[in-house]
């Protein structure tokens, strides 16, 4: 039987080093055994971001914890673009194209949630390096 965590710290999960910052999946199939509600935390360097992309199989929300983002989303009624800050949230329908760019002078930190597991693998596929968890729990 596979062992999964119910209580997770950032030291329990791998760190994905990306050209735009870092990402950690705190709840995903390998960590908590979930197949729904995948949750991660990302940090985006000033002037960087994740450019236009979509998740064909999952809804997503992004909740901003720190910093300033230029957020875009392509909706049926056209492109929406808005500056978002700590405490703001964007809800992204399944398949909608979107982008998040750090337009501030400090790191942009956000919590991200996908409705279905699987979309998180696309982030790992773009990683420059993957650091193993500091805590070895398996």
């Amino acid at each position: 039987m596979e062992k999964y965590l119910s209580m997770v710290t950032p030291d329990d999960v791998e760190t994905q080093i990306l050209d735009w910052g870092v990402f950690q999946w705190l709840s995903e199939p390998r960590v908590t055994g979930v197949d729904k509600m995948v949750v991660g935390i990302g940090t985006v360097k000033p002037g960087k971001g994740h450019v236009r992309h979509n998740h064909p199989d999952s809804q997503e929300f992004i909740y901003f914890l720190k910093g300033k983002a230029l957020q875009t989303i392509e909706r049926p009624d056209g492109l929406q673009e808005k500056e978002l800050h700590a405490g703001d949230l964007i809800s992204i329908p399944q398949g909608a194209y979107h982008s998040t760019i750090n337009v501030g002078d400090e790191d942009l930190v956000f919590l991200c949630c996908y409705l279905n597991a699987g979309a998180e693998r696309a982030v790992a596929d773009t990683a420059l390096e993957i650091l193993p968890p500091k805590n070895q729990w398996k």
Side-chain angles (χ1 to χ4, degrees):
M1 179 174 184
E2 190 125 14
K3 180 179 175 187
Y4 297 111
L5 296 178
S6 294
M7 292 179 253
V8 182
T9 72
D11 287 345
D12 295 325
V13 300
E14 70 186 22
T15 301
Q16 299 168 355
I17 309 297
L18 306 148
D19 63 353
W20 49 263
V22 298
F23 210 92
Q24 292 182 292
W25 292 105
L26 301 173
S27 180
E28 53 113 342
R30 297 175 302 153
V31 176
T32 56
V34 298
D35 61 355
K36 304 282 185 206
M37 204 169 58
V38 173
V39 178
I41 190 162
T43 301
V44 181
K45 298 180 237 175
K48 300 286 186 172
H50 53 87
V51 295
R52 184 182 182 270
H53 67 286
N54 74 335
H55 308 286
D57 298 320
S58 190
Q59 297 170 349
E60 176 183 11
F61 76 72
I62 301 171
Y63 179 76
F64 296 96
L65 299 166
K66 177 183 170 189
K68 182 168 44 172
L70 179 60
Q71 183 67 55
T72 64
I73 184 169
E74 294 178 29
R75 308 274 310 187
D77 57 345
L79 179 69
Q80 293 179 334
E81 184 175 86
K82 186 173 183 178
E83 189 174 286
L84 298 177
H85 307 90
D88 295 339
L89 178 137
I90 180 169
S91 177
I92 303 163
Q94 182 173 329
Y97 282 89
H98 58 284
S99 64
T100 306
I101 307 298
N102 182 348
V103 294
D105 296 329
E106 63 180 348
D107 284 346
L108 173 68
V109 181
F110 63 92
L111 184 73
C112 168
C113 182
Y114 296 138
L115 175 62
N116 297 311
E120 77 283 355
R121 289 192 295 269
V123 177
D125 290 345
T126 64
L128 303 172
E129 182 180 4
I130 297 180
L131 304 177
K134 292 177 182 174
N135 295 338
Q136 296 299 316
W137 50 269
K138 279 197 174 187

